Amino acid sequence: DQYICGRAILVYFSNREELIKFKETYPEPNYEIINNNDDDQLGIKIRFAGCSGKVSLVTKNFARGTDFVCTDEKVIQKGGFHVIQTFFSTDLAEEEQIKGRTARMGNPGSYSLVLCMETLKNIEISGLSEKKGKDAYIVLEQSRNKINETIYKESEIILEKKSNISKITSTIITKLNSFKKTDIEQII
């Protein structure tokens, strides 16, 4: 519906493989794939992504630091950019960055999270299939929190191990520094 009403649409994918799979499954000649390999065309593609009826397919690396600016009055009058995120991000900051591509520089915009259950297979989520809308999102948030809690705990363990290694290394260096040159020569 967004496409029909003359808005500009950015569709975010987790990676290039998912983007290509989508493009092959739903061939549409008006899709514009924007990627970092478009060296000489990248700026132009980003600038024209805000035109009426334009559907741009991008990966999540365009969520941060890329300003998709809409100057098309028709798009602005119709509600600005509509951003569709097709994957669940375990990083809330990444999700917020993607949402932030909608209403740039005071212009209007909207956001949708559209997920396929298949894309969630690597995430432990219970009870999602019975939920809809905000209730489903709450289940996803709880899952994200569990994932990040696990990552944090694993990071703490790694940090503790590295801290212990650092202490041992420091002790060895201190002991080596206490040797006299003649002591070291005798050892060698």
Side-chain angles (χ1 to χ4, degrees):
D1 289 344
Q2 304 295 337
Y3 179 71
I4 294 168
C5 81
R7 293 183 67 186
I9 301 170
L10 293 173
V11 185
Y12 278 86
F13 294 87
S14 61
N15 56 53
R16 183 157 173 73
E17 292 76 28
E18 291 296 321
L19 184 152
I20 297 301
K21 189 166 101 177
F22 175 84
K23 174 89 168 130
E24 289 171 353
T25 305
Y26 304 100
E28 168 64 45
N30 294 326
Y31 290 152
E32 181 75 61
I33 295 177
I34 300 176
N35 65 64
N36 288 327
N37 298 333
D38 297 330
D39 297 330
D40 57 338
Q41 297 290 312
L42 185 60
I44 294 167
K45 287 182 175 185
I46 289 170
R47 196 168 35 258
F48 285 103
C51 293
S52 177
K54 192 71 153 177
V55 178
S56 300
L57 309 180
V58 297
T59 58
K60 65 183 180 180
N61 59 321
F62 284 93
R64 180 170 279 150
T66 305
D67 283 330
F68 291 97
V69 180
C70 180
T71 56
D72 187 327
E73 281 302 316
K74 182 178 179 183
V75 174
I76 293 169
Q77 290 172 0
K78 296 283 187 172
F81 270 114
H82 182 69
V83 172
I84 300 171
Q85 182 176 341
T86 64
F87 66 97
F88 177 65
S89 179
T90 56
D91 181 357
L92 181 59
E94 178 180 70
E95 184 176 309
E96 292 299 322
Q97 286 292 321
I98 292 171
K99 285 179 183 177
R101 302 302 102 190
T102 59
R104 307 298 290 168
M105 299 183 179
N107 288 330
S110 56
Y111 167 87
S112 298
L113 179 61
V114 179
L115 302 174
C116 172
M117 289 301 279
E118 182 183 322
T119 64
L120 299 172
K121 64 184 173 206
N122 296 331
I123 304 170
E124 282 189 39
I125 302 173
S126 58
L128 182 63
S129 58
E130 302 88 41
K131 307 288 183 183
K132 294 192 185 301
K134 289 183 181 180
D135 290 336
Y137 189 76
I138 289 169
V139 172
L140 290 170
E141 277 187 315
Q142 290 168 345
S143 176
R144 177 180 17 232
N145 291 341
K146 285 180 187 175
I147 290 167
N148 287 323
E149 205 172 285
T150 301
I151 291 169
Y152 180 76
K153 286 177 183 176
E154 289 171 355
S155 296
E156 279 186 321
I157 291 168
I158 291 169
L159 186 61
E160 181 65 30
K161 286 179 182 178
K162 289 188 183 248
S163 177
N164 289 337
I165 291 170
S166 178
K167 288 176 188 173
I168 292 168
T169 303
S170 180
T171 302
I172 291 170
I173 290 172
T174 301
K175 288 189 178 193
L176 285 173
N177 284 334
S178 69
F179 280 116
K180 295 178 187 168
K181 182 179 177 186
T182 54
D183 293 337
I184 295 173
E185 288 172 350
Q186 286 176 359
I187 293 171
I188 297 176

